[in-house]
């Protein structure tokens, strides 16, 4: 990496503290799973095997580089509300996303919303809701969370097929009809694009209601706790490596 690492010290320190706390919480969760379902040993064994097989040092350095890039990306997209998005990313392991993954998803979705005309505060608030919705959709329909996030961003580009496998059916003709019903069909250019995006967001949340909250409802299940544990472990690698690079000045 050229030059010194450019990650706020507070992010690295808070990330280490958060992940340490989360490991304690997850340990209790897995213990409870074992008592009720007899599967904690299998879950821990699979996790330990993955840890043993990984090249910790190499992965940690790569994670630190990603974290640097993602922190810069958050600042570029979210500007004065960057602290809000940093806090969201730091706590995203509670919905099964690592700090890096949550930051990357936030940059991706946030940039689309921002370019559509949403205010920077609305962009931040909506981004949080949409990233969380992505985890709910992935858990409900059995797809990777990245596919759910890609489906949503495709939707905002006017491509409706990718989101259909997550139970959300939508067509451009519906958007056009809704514009007309609201007396907005005369709009053109950026104003029309913004109006269309607002309608797409509304319909997305309306038509995904059955999946919303799925991750929280799954707390204590093997699937959810493994996702949380994997995110916490990834955060340990990334934030500890970042903190070490900051201390050494590399």
């Amino acid at each position: 990496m050229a030059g010194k690492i450019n990650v706020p010290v507070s992010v690295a320190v808070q990330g280490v503290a958060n992940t340490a706390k989360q490991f304690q919480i997850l340990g209790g969760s897995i213990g409870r799973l074992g008592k009720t379902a007899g599967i904690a040993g299998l879950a821990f064994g699979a996790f330990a095997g993955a840890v043993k097989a990984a090249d910790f040092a190499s992965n940690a350095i790569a994670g630190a580089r990603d974290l640097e890039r993602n922190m810069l990306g958050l600042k570029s997209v979210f500007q004065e509300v960057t602290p809000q998005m940093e806090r969201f990313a730091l706590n995203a392991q509670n919905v099964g996303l690592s700090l890096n993954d949550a930051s990357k998803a936030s940059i991706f979705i946030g940039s689309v919303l921002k370019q559509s005309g949403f205010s920077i505060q609305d962009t931040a608030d909506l981004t949080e809701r949409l990233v969380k919705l992505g985890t709910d959709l992935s858990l409900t329909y059995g797809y990777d969370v990245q596919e759910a996030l890609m489906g949503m961003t495709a939707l905002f580009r006017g491509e409706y097929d990718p989101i259909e496998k997550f139970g959300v059916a939508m067509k451009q003709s519906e958007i056009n009809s809704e514009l007309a019903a609201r007396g907005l069909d005369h709009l053109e250019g950026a104003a029309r694009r913004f109006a269309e995006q607002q309608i797409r967001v509304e319909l997305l949340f309306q038509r995904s209601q059955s999946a919303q909250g799925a991750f929280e409802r799954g707390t204590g299940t093997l699937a959810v706790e493994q996702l949380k544990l994997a995110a916490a472990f990834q955060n340990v690698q990334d934030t500890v490596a970042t903190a070490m690079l900051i201390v050494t000045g590399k």
Side-chain angles (χ1 to χ4, degrees):
M1 187 190 318
K4 293 184 179 181
I5 192 163
N6 188 13
V7 175
V9 174
S10 60
V11 172
V13 173
Q14 188 61 49
V16 173
N18 279 8
T19 50
K21 180 179 180 180
Q22 192 64 23
F23 266 125
Q24 293 179 332
I25 296 172
L26 291 174
S29 297
I30 289 178
R32 288 191 296 273
L33 269 176
K35 291 178 182 178
T36 58
I39 53 180
L42 291 176
F44 181 78
F47 174 70
V51 172
K52 185 177 181 180
D55 184 342
F56 185 91
S58 176
N59 290 344
I61 295 300
R65 290 172 177 167
D66 288 342
L67 185 57
E68 177 182 32
R69 181 175 63 249
N70 288 330
M71 290 301 102
L72 291 172
L74 283 179
K75 186 174 182 179
S76 176
V77 172
F78 293 99
Q79 301 171 346
E80 66 267 22
V81 294
T82 298
Q84 173 183 337
M85 299 312 298
E86 288 178 346
R87 289 192 296 272
F88 171 68
L90 281 165
N91 292 304
Q93 61 196 34
N94 293 321
V95 291
L97 292 175
S98 70
L99 169 59
N100 260 327
D101 286 341
S103 299
K104 184 177 180 179
S106 296
I107 293 167
F108 196 38
I109 292 178
S111 63
V112 174
L113 295 174
K114 182 180 175 182
Q115 291 171 29
S116 297
F118 289 94
S119 71
I120 195 63
Q121 186 61 63
D122 286 344
T123 293
D125 294 341
L126 271 175
T127 295
E128 289 191 30
R129 292 182 64 194
L130 289 168
V131 172
K132 291 178 180 177
L133 177 60
T135 64
D136 288 335
L137 291 173
S138 68
L139 190 64
T140 300
Y141 293 96
Y143 292 97
D144 185 83
V145 66
Q146 296 303 323
E147 290 186 75
L149 296 171
M150 289 291 289
M152 285 189 279
T153 54
L155 173 66
F156 298 138
R157 293 195 303 269
E159 301 170 15
Y160 301 99
D161 290 345
I163 200 67
E164 284 192 0
K165 63 184 178 183
F166 295 97
V168 178
M170 202 181 303
K171 299 294 181 185
Q172 184 61 40
S173 58
E174 290 183 277
I175 307 300
N176 296 338
S177 295
E178 191 62 33
L179 283 171
R182 299 183 186 191
L184 302 174
D185 52 335
H186 66 284
L187 296 176
E188 297 180 353
R192 185 180 182 91
R193 174 175 168 76
F194 181 45
E196 288 186 352
Q197 297 295 53
Q198 288 178 303
I199 293 171
R200 289 183 182 116
V201 169
E202 289 177 20
L203 294 180
L204 172 61
F205 282 116
Q206 288 174 12
R207 296 177 183 184
S208 62
Q209 285 184 355
S210 61
Q212 290 171 30
F215 203 94
E216 183 178 356
R217 292 193 296 271
T219 298
T221 64
L222 179 59
V224 166
E225 298 306 328
Q226 281 187 319
L227 288 171
K228 289 182 179 180
L229 187 59
F233 173 68
Q234 188 63 55
N235 283 351
V236 168
Q237 285 194 122
D238 297 345
T239 54
V240 169
T242 300
M244 291 176 65
L245 290 174
I246 291 173
V247 170
T248 59
K250 296 183 178 179

mmCIF file of all heavy atoms in Angstrom, residues 37-82:
data_model
loop_
_atom_site.group_PDB
_atom_site.id
_atom_site.type_symbol
_atom_site.label_atom_id
_atom_site.label_comp_id
_atom_site.label_asym_id
_atom_site.label_seq_id
_atom_site.Cartn_x
_atom_site.Cartn_y
_atom_site.Cartn_z
ATOM 1 N N ALA A 37 -30.528 -27.700 20.363
ATOM 2 C CA ALA A 37 -30.545 -28.425 19.085
ATOM 3 C C ALA A 37 -29.384 -29.393 18.921
ATOM 4 O O ALA A 37 -29.363 -30.166 17.965
ATOM 5 C CB ALA A 37 -30.552 -27.426 17.935
ATOM 6 N N GLY A 38 -28.404 -29.329 19.796
ATOM 7 C CA GLY A 38 -27.264 -30.237 19.703
ATOM 8 C C GLY A 38 -26.369 -29.984 18.508
ATOM 9 O O GLY A 38 -25.711 -30.893 18.014
ATOM 10 N N ILE A 39 -26.335 -28.725 18.031
ATOM 11 C CA ILE A 39 -25.578 -28.449 16.810
ATOM 12 C C ILE A 39 -24.464 -27.432 17.027
ATOM 13 O O ILE A 39 -23.751 -27.096 16.083
ATOM 14 C CB ILE A 39 -26.508 -27.910 15.710
ATOM 15 C CG1 ILE A 39 -27.305 -26.729 16.227
ATOM 16 C CG2 ILE A 39 -27.415 -28.986 15.181
ATOM 17 C CD1 ILE A 39 -28.247 -26.132 15.194
ATOM 18 N N ALA A 40 -24.282 -26.951 18.240
ATOM 19 C CA ALA A 40 -23.241 -25.950 18.466
ATOM 20 C C ALA A 40 -21.865 -26.507 18.136
ATOM 21 O O ALA A 40 -21.017 -25.811 17.582
ATOM 22 C CB ALA A 40 -23.266 -25.476 19.924
ATOM 23 N N GLY A 41 -21.629 -27.766 18.476
ATOM 24 C CA GLY A 41 -20.332 -28.364 18.175
ATOM 25 C C GLY A 41 -20.042 -28.396 16.693
ATOM 26 O O GLY A 41 -18.925 -28.121 16.257
ATOM 27 N N LEU A 42 -21.051 -28.718 15.907
ATOM 28 C CA LEU A 42 -20.872 -28.736 14.459
ATOM 29 C C LEU A 42 -20.601 -27.337 13.930
ATOM 30 O O LEU A 42 -19.734 -27.139 13.069
ATOM 31 C CB LEU A 42 -22.144 -29.294 13.798
ATOM 32 C CG LEU A 42 -22.422 -30.784 14.027
ATOM 33 C CD1 LEU A 42 -23.765 -31.147 13.402
ATOM 34 C CD2 LEU A 42 -21.312 -31.643 13.421
ATOM 35 N N ALA A 43 -21.333 -26.356 14.443
ATOM 36 C CA ALA A 43 -21.142 -24.982 13.981
ATOM 37 C C ALA A 43 -19.740 -24.498 14.316
ATOM 38 O O ALA A 43 -19.050 -23.915 13.477
ATOM 39 C CB ALA A 43 -22.181 -24.064 14.638
ATOM 40 N N PHE A 44 -19.322 -24.759 15.552
ATOM 41 C CA PHE A 44 -17.995 -24.301 15.960
ATOM 42 C C PHE A 44 -16.906 -25.036 15.199
ATOM 43 O O PHE A 44 -15.900 -24.451 14.802
ATOM 44 C CB PHE A 44 -17.802 -24.503 17.467
ATOM 45 C CG PHE A 44 -16.459 -24.030 17.951
ATOM 46 C CD1 PHE A 44 -16.234 -22.676 18.148
ATOM 47 C CD2 PHE A 44 -15.420 -24.923 18.179
ATOM 48 C CE1 PHE A 44 -15.001 -22.228 18.577
ATOM 49 C CE2 PHE A 44 -14.188 -24.480 18.609
ATOM 50 C CZ PHE A 44 -13.976 -23.127 18.815
ATOM 51 N N GLY A 45 -17.114 -26.325 14.959
ATOM 52 C CA GLY A 45 -16.117 -27.107 14.233
ATOM 53 C C GLY A 45 -15.922 -26.599 12.823
ATOM 54 O O GLY A 45 -14.786 -26.486 12.338
ATOM 55 N N ALA A 46 -17.019 -26.270 12.156
ATOM 56 C CA ALA A 46 -16.927 -25.748 10.797
ATOM 57 C C ALA A 46 -16.225 -24.402 10.792
ATOM 58 O O ALA A 46 -15.387 -24.116 9.932
ATOM 59 C CB ALA A 46 -18.323 -25.615 10.194
ATOM 60 N N PHE A 47 -16.558 -23.581 11.777
ATOM 61 C CA PHE A 47 -15.928 -22.266 11.866
ATOM 62 C C PHE A 47 -14.434 -22.388 12.154
ATOM 63 O O PHE A 47 -13.608 -21.742 11.514
ATOM 64 C CB PHE A 47 -16.607 -21.456 12.968
ATOM 65 C CG PHE A 47 -15.948 -20.132 13.243
ATOM 66 C CD1 PHE A 47 -16.030 -19.106 12.310
ATOM 67 C CD2 PHE A 47 -15.256 -19.911 14.418
ATOM 68 C CE1 PHE A 47 -15.435 -17.882 12.559
ATOM 69 C CE2 PHE A 47 -14.654 -18.699 14.669
ATOM 70 C CZ PHE A 47 -14.751 -17.678 13.742
ATOM 71 N N ALA A 48 -14.070 -23.248 13.094
ATOM 72 C CA ALA A 48 -12.661 -23.426 13.449
ATOM 73 C C ALA A 48 -11.870 -23.954 12.258
ATOM 74 O O ALA A 48 -10.725 -23.563 12.033
ATOM 75 C CB ALA A 48 -12.540 -24.384 14.637
ATOM 76 N N GLY A 49 -12.477 -24.829 11.478
ATOM 77 C CA GLY A 49 -11.796 -25.363 10.304
ATOM 78 C C GLY A 49 -11.516 -24.282 9.290
ATOM 79 O O GLY A 49 -10.440 -24.246 8.673
ATOM 80 N N ALA A 50 -12.474 -23.367 9.129
ATOM 81 C CA ALA A 50 -12.279 -22.271 8.176
ATOM 82 C C ALA A 50 -11.167 -21.347 8.646
ATOM 83 O O ALA A 50 -10.346 -20.884 7.854
ATOM 84 C CB ALA A 50 -13.588 -21.491 8.012
ATOM 85 N N VAL A 51 -11.140 -21.095 9.957
ATOM 86 C CA VAL A 51 -10.094 -20.240 10.507
ATOM 87 C C VAL A 51 -8.724 -20.881 10.299
ATOM 88 O O VAL A 51 -7.760 -20.228 9.893
ATOM 89 C CB VAL A 51 -10.338 -19.985 12.011
ATOM 90 C CG1 VAL A 51 -9.150 -19.254 12.623
ATOM 91 C CG2 VAL A 51 -11.614 -19.182 12.208
ATOM 92 N N LYS A 52 -8.614 -22.172 10.563
ATOM 93 C CA LYS A 52 -7.343 -22.873 10.434
ATOM 94 C C LYS A 52 -6.860 -22.879 8.998
ATOM 95 O O LYS A 52 -5.657 -22.764 8.733
ATOM 96 C CB LYS A 52 -7.507 -24.314 10.936
ATOM 97 C CG LYS A 52 -6.211 -25.114 10.958
ATOM 98 C CD LYS A 52 -6.465 -26.490 11.542
ATOM 99 C CE LYS A 52 -5.171 -27.305 11.586
ATOM 100 N NZ LYS A 52 -5.411 -28.648 12.157
ATOM 101 N N ALA A 53 -7.786 -22.991 8.062
ATOM 102 C CA ALA A 53 -7.411 -23.075 6.657
ATOM 103 C C ALA A 53 -7.022 -21.720 6.084
ATOM 104 O O ALA A 53 -6.339 -21.639 5.075
ATOM 105 C CB ALA A 53 -8.568 -23.667 5.847
ATOM 106 N N ALA A 54 -7.462 -20.652 6.707
ATOM 107 C CA ALA A 54 -7.218 -19.321 6.161
ATOM 108 C C ALA A 54 -5.795 -18.861 6.431
ATOM 109 O O ALA A 54 -5.186 -19.225 7.436
ATOM 110 C CB ALA A 54 -8.208 -18.327 6.775
ATOM 111 N N ASP A 55 -5.268 -18.102 5.527
ATOM 112 C CA ASP A 55 -3.984 -17.435 5.736
ATOM 113 C C ASP A 55 -4.303 -16.121 6.430
ATOM 114 O O ASP A 55 -4.569 -15.112 5.773
ATOM 115 C CB ASP A 55 -3.274 -17.200 4.406
ATOM 116 C CG ASP A 55 -1.886 -16.604 4.574
ATOM 117 O OD1 ASP A 55 -1.599 -16.056 5.652
ATOM 118 O OD2 ASP A 55 -1.093 -16.690 3.620
ATOM 119 N N PHE A 56 -4.268 -16.147 7.746
ATOM 120 C CA PHE A 56 -4.753 -15.015 8.526
ATOM 121 C C PHE A 56 -4.011 -13.728 8.163
ATOM 122 O O PHE A 56 -4.615 -12.682 7.938
ATOM 123 C CB PHE A 56 -4.590 -15.299 10.024
ATOM 124 C CG PHE A 56 -5.183 -14.240 10.914
ATOM 125 C CD1 PHE A 56 -6.497 -14.332 11.348
ATOM 126 C CD2 PHE A 56 -4.427 -13.138 11.313
ATOM 127 C CE1 PHE A 56 -7.048 -13.352 12.158
ATOM 128 C CE2 PHE A 56 -4.974 -12.159 12.120
ATOM 129 C CZ PHE A 56 -6.285 -12.269 12.547
ATOM 130 N N ALA A 57 -2.691 -13.782 8.119
ATOM 131 C CA ALA A 57 -1.913 -12.567 7.874
ATOM 132 C C ALA A 57 -2.232 -11.961 6.521
ATOM 133 O O ALA A 57 -2.475 -10.752 6.400
ATOM 134 C CB ALA A 57 -0.417 -12.880 7.968
ATOM 135 N N SER A 58 -2.258 -12.804 5.489
ATOM 136 C CA SER A 58 -2.534 -12.301 4.138
ATOM 137 C C SER A 58 -3.925 -11.718 4.044
ATOM 138 O O SER A 58 -4.129 -10.630 3.484
ATOM 139 C CB SER A 58 -2.369 -13.444 3.132
ATOM 140 O OG SER A 58 -2.716 -13.013 1.836
ATOM 141 N N ASN A 59 -4.914 -12.422 4.593
ATOM 142 C CA ASN A 59 -6.285 -11.941 4.550
ATOM 143 C C ASN A 59 -6.460 -10.657 5.354
ATOM 144 O O ASN A 59 -7.237 -9.770 4.979
ATOM 145 C CB ASN A 59 -7.241 -13.009 5.079
ATOM 146 C CG ASN A 59 -7.366 -14.196 4.134
ATOM 147 O OD1 ASN A 59 -6.983 -14.108 2.971
ATOM 148 N ND2 ASN A 59 -7.885 -15.301 4.634
ATOM 149 N N ALA A 60 -5.748 -10.567 6.480
ATOM 150 C CA ALA A 60 -5.870 -9.382 7.326
ATOM 151 C C ALA A 60 -5.336 -8.148 6.621
ATOM 152 O O ALA A 60 -5.940 -7.072 6.679
ATOM 153 C CB ALA A 60 -5.132 -9.606 8.645
ATOM 154 N N ILE A 61 -4.199 -8.279 5.951
ATOM 155 C CA ILE A 61 -3.639 -7.138 5.240
ATOM 156 C C ILE A 61 -4.563 -6.712 4.108
ATOM 157 O O ILE A 61 -4.804 -5.521 3.886
ATOM 158 C CB ILE A 61 -2.237 -7.467 4.686
ATOM 159 C CG1 ILE A 61 -1.267 -7.723 5.843
ATOM 160 C CG2 ILE A 61 -1.734 -6.336 3.813
ATOM 161 C CD1 ILE A 61 -1.103 -6.558 6.791
ATOM 162 N N ALA A 62 -5.095 -7.679 3.374
ATOM 163 C CA ALA A 62 -6.035 -7.364 2.294
ATOM 164 C C ALA A 62 -7.269 -6.663 2.861
ATOM 165 O O ALA A 62 -7.788 -5.712 2.270
ATOM 166 C CB ALA A 62 -6.437 -8.633 1.553
ATOM 167 N N GLY A 63 -7.735 -7.135 4.024
ATOM 168 C CA GLY A 63 -8.896 -6.523 4.661
ATOM 169 C C GLY A 63 -8.619 -5.100 5.093
ATOM 170 O O GLY A 63 -9.485 -4.227 4.992
ATOM 171 N N ALA A 64 -7.401 -4.852 5.578
ATOM 172 C CA ALA A 64 -7.026 -3.499 5.986
ATOM 173 C C ALA A 64 -7.015 -2.561 4.788
ATOM 174 O O ALA A 64 -7.454 -1.413 4.865
ATOM 175 C CB ALA A 64 -5.653 -3.518 6.653
ATOM 176 N N ARG A 65 -6.534 -3.060 3.668
ATOM 177 C CA ARG A 65 -6.533 -2.240 2.450
ATOM 178 C C ARG A 65 -7.955 -1.941 1.994
ATOM 179 O O ARG A 65 -8.260 -0.815 1.580
ATOM 180 C CB ARG A 65 -5.757 -2.961 1.350
ATOM 181 C CG ARG A 65 -4.262 -3.036 1.602
ATOM 182 C CD ARG A 65 -3.566 -3.917 0.588
ATOM 183 N NE ARG A 65 -2.129 -3.932 0.805
ATOM 184 C CZ ARG A 65 -1.293 -4.796 0.240
ATOM 185 N NH1 ARG A 65 -1.766 -5.728 -0.574
ATOM 186 N NH2 ARG A 65 0.001 -4.720 0.475
ATOM 187 N N ASP A 66 -8.814 -2.953 2.064
ATOM 188 C CA ASP A 66 -10.217 -2.740 1.690
ATOM 189 C C ASP A 66 -10.871 -1.724 2.620
ATOM 190 O O ASP A 66 -11.666 -0.883 2.181
ATOM 191 C CB ASP A 66 -10.988 -4.059 1.748
ATOM 192 C CG ASP A 66 -10.614 -5.010 0.620
ATOM 193 O OD1 ASP A 66 -10.027 -4.541 -0.377
ATOM 194 O OD2 ASP A 66 -10.917 -6.208 0.735
ATOM 195 N N LEU A 67 -10.543 -1.829 3.908
ATOM 196 C CA LEU A 67 -11.135 -0.927 4.892
ATOM 197 C C LEU A 67 -10.716 0.516 4.612
ATOM 198 O O LEU A 67 -11.536 1.434 4.686
ATOM 199 C CB LEU A 67 -10.719 -1.333 6.306
ATOM 200 C CG LEU A 67 -11.354 -0.543 7.455
ATOM 201 C CD1 LEU A 67 -12.871 -0.612 7.391
ATOM 202 C CD2 LEU A 67 -10.851 -1.063 8.799
ATOM 203 N N GLU A 68 -9.458 0.701 4.274
ATOM 204 C CA GLU A 68 -8.989 2.039 3.929
ATOM 205 C C GLU A 68 -9.779 2.598 2.745
ATOM 206 O O GLU A 68 -10.270 3.731 2.772
ATOM 207 C CB GLU A 68 -7.505 2.002 3.583
ATOM 208 C CG GLU A 68 -6.955 3.357 3.141
ATOM 209 C CD GLU A 68 -5.489 3.291 2.755
ATOM 210 O OE1 GLU A 68 -5.050 2.243 2.253
ATOM 211 O OE2 GLU A 68 -4.793 4.300 2.968
ATOM 212 N N ARG A 69 -9.909 1.798 1.707
ATOM 213 C CA ARG A 69 -10.634 2.228 0.513
ATOM 214 C C ARG A 69 -12.098 2.513 0.820
ATOM 215 O O ARG A 69 -12.671 3.500 0.357
ATOM 216 C CB ARG A 69 -10.516 1.157 -0.568
ATOM 217 C CG ARG A 69 -11.226 1.534 -1.877
ATOM 218 C CD ARG A 69 -10.978 0.513 -2.968
ATOM 219 N NE ARG A 69 -11.509 -0.801 -2.621
ATOM 220 C CZ ARG A 69 -10.755 -1.866 -2.358
ATOM 221 N NH1 ARG A 69 -9.440 -1.783 -2.407
ATOM 222 N NH2 ARG A 69 -11.314 -3.028 -2.051
ATOM 223 N N ASN A 70 -12.706 1.641 1.627
ATOM 224 C CA ASN A 70 -14.125 1.805 1.923
ATOM 225 C C ASN A 70 -14.395 3.014 2.815
ATOM 226 O O ASN A 70 -15.427 3.681 2.664
ATOM 227 C CB ASN A 70 -14.679 0.537 2.570
ATOM 228 C CG ASN A 70 -14.794 -0.605 1.585
ATOM 229 O OD1 ASN A 70 -14.995 -0.390 0.386
ATOM 230 N ND2 ASN A 70 -14.671 -1.839 2.066
ATOM 231 N N MET A 71 -13.501 3.301 3.757
ATOM 232 C CA MET A 71 -13.685 4.487 4.588
ATOM 233 C C MET A 71 -13.591 5.760 3.750
ATOM 234 O O MET A 71 -14.341 6.714 3.952
ATOM 235 C CB MET A 71 -12.632 4.519 5.705
ATOM 236 C CG MET A 71 -12.809 3.453 6.785
ATOM 237 S SD MET A 71 -14.401 3.529 7.652
ATOM 238 C CE MET A 71 -15.301 2.199 6.854
ATOM 239 N N LEU A 72 -12.671 5.772 2.802
ATOM 240 C CA LEU A 72 -12.572 6.914 1.892
ATOM 241 C C LEU A 72 -13.823 7.011 1.018
ATOM 242 O O LEU A 72 -14.313 8.108 0.730
ATOM 243 C CB LEU A 72 -11.322 6.779 1.023
ATOM 244 C CG LEU A 72 -9.979 6.942 1.745
ATOM 245 C CD1 LEU A 72 -8.825 6.594 0.809
ATOM 246 C CD2 LEU A 72 -9.825 8.359 2.278
ATOM 247 N N GLY A 73 -14.338 5.845 0.595
ATOM 248 C CA GLY A 73 -15.544 5.821 -0.213
ATOM 249 C C GLY A 73 -16.750 6.351 0.531
ATOM 250 O O GLY A 73 -17.565 7.099 -0.025
ATOM 251 N N LEU A 74 -16.898 5.967 1.799
ATOM 252 C CA LEU A 74 -18.005 6.470 2.620
ATOM 253 C C LEU A 74 -17.951 7.993 2.714
ATOM 254 O O LEU A 74 -18.970 8.682 2.587
ATOM 255 C CB LEU A 74 -17.950 5.865 4.025
ATOM 256 C CG LEU A 74 -18.427 4.429 4.199
ATOM 257 C CD1 LEU A 74 -18.262 4.002 5.657
ATOM 258 C CD2 LEU A 74 -19.868 4.245 3.759
ATOM 259 N N LYS A 75 -16.757 8.502 2.930
ATOM 260 C CA LYS A 75 -16.597 9.957 3.065
ATOM 261 C C LYS A 75 -16.939 10.656 1.756
ATOM 262 O O LYS A 75 -17.559 11.724 1.754
ATOM 263 C CB LYS A 75 -15.162 10.280 3.476
ATOM 264 C CG LYS A 75 -14.923 11.753 3.785
ATOM 265 C CD LYS A 75 -13.526 11.982 4.319
ATOM 266 C CE LYS A 75 -13.308 13.456 4.674
ATOM 267 N NZ LYS A 75 -11.938 13.680 5.214
ATOM 268 N N SER A 76 -16.548 10.063 0.650
ATOM 269 C CA SER A 76 -16.808 10.661 -0.656
ATOM 270 C C SER A 76 -18.301 10.711 -0.966
ATOM 271 O O SER A 76 -18.811 11.715 -1.472
ATOM 272 C CB SER A 76 -16.080 9.867 -1.747
ATOM 273 O OG SER A 76 -16.382 10.374 -3.033
ATOM 274 N N VAL A 77 -19.011 9.630 -0.639
ATOM 275 C CA VAL A 77 -20.440 9.553 -0.965
ATOM 276 C C VAL A 77 -21.293 10.315 0.040
ATOM 277 O O VAL A 77 -22.197 11.074 -0.340
ATOM 278 C CB VAL A 77 -20.906 8.083 -1.044
ATOM 279 C CG1 VAL A 77 -22.425 8.012 -1.191
ATOM 280 C CG2 VAL A 77 -20.231 7.366 -2.200
ATOM 281 N N PHE A 78 -20.998 10.138 1.336
ATOM 282 C CA PHE A 78 -21.913 10.630 2.365
ATOM 283 C C PHE A 78 -21.501 11.955 2.990
ATOM 284 O O PHE A 78 -22.260 12.508 3.791
ATOM 285 C CB PHE A 78 -22.101 9.562 3.448
ATOM 286 C CG PHE A 78 -22.815 8.338 2.942
ATOM 287 C CD1 PHE A 78 -22.109 7.208 2.571
ATOM 288 C CD2 PHE A 78 -24.191 8.329 2.799
ATOM 289 C CE1 PHE A 78 -22.751 6.073 2.085
ATOM 290 C CE2 PHE A 78 -24.854 7.213 2.312
ATOM 291 C CZ PHE A 78 -24.132 6.085 1.957
ATOM 292 N N GLN A 79 -20.325 12.430 2.687
ATOM 293 C CA GLN A 79 -19.911 13.767 3.081
ATOM 294 C C GLN A 79 -20.154 14.049 4.563
ATOM 295 O O GLN A 79 -19.608 13.394 5.429
ATOM 296 C CB GLN A 79 -20.595 14.787 2.166
ATOM 297 C CG GLN A 79 -20.262 14.582 0.701
ATOM 298 C CD GLN A 79 -21.090 15.435 -0.231
ATOM 299 O OE1 GLN A 79 -22.110 16.034 0.138
ATOM 300 N NE2 GLN A 79 -20.685 15.502 -1.494
ATOM 301 N N GLU A 80 -21.015 15.052 4.869
ATOM 302 C CA GLU A 80 -21.161 15.468 6.261
ATOM 303 C C GLU A 80 -21.868 14.446 7.143
ATOM 304 O O GLU A 80 -21.821 14.552 8.376
ATOM 305 C CB GLU A 80 -21.909 16.811 6.350
ATOM 306 C CG GLU A 80 -23.364 16.788 5.902
ATOM 307 C CD GLU A 80 -23.530 17.150 4.431
ATOM 308 O OE1 GLU A 80 -22.557 17.005 3.674
ATOM 309 O OE2 GLU A 80 -24.649 17.567 4.057
ATOM 310 N N VAL A 81 -22.541 13.453 6.557
ATOM 311 C CA VAL A 81 -23.188 12.426 7.376
ATOM 312 C C VAL A 81 -22.347 11.144 7.425
ATOM 313 O O VAL A 81 -22.851 10.093 7.815
ATOM 314 C CB VAL A 81 -24.615 12.117 6.878
ATOM 315 C CG1 VAL A 81 -25.514 13.327 7.070
ATOM 316 C CG2 VAL A 81 -24.609 11.660 5.426
ATOM 317 N N THR A 82 -21.082 11.245 7.062
ATOM 318 C CA THR A 82 -20.183 10.081 7.119
ATOM 319 C C THR A 82 -20.155 9.430 8.498
ATOM 320 O O THR A 82 -20.187 8.194 8.592
ATOM 321 C CB THR A 82 -18.757 10.482 6.692
ATOM 322 O OG1 THR A 82 -18.789 10.946 5.339
ATOM 323 C CG2 THR A 82 -17.806 9.302 6.792
#
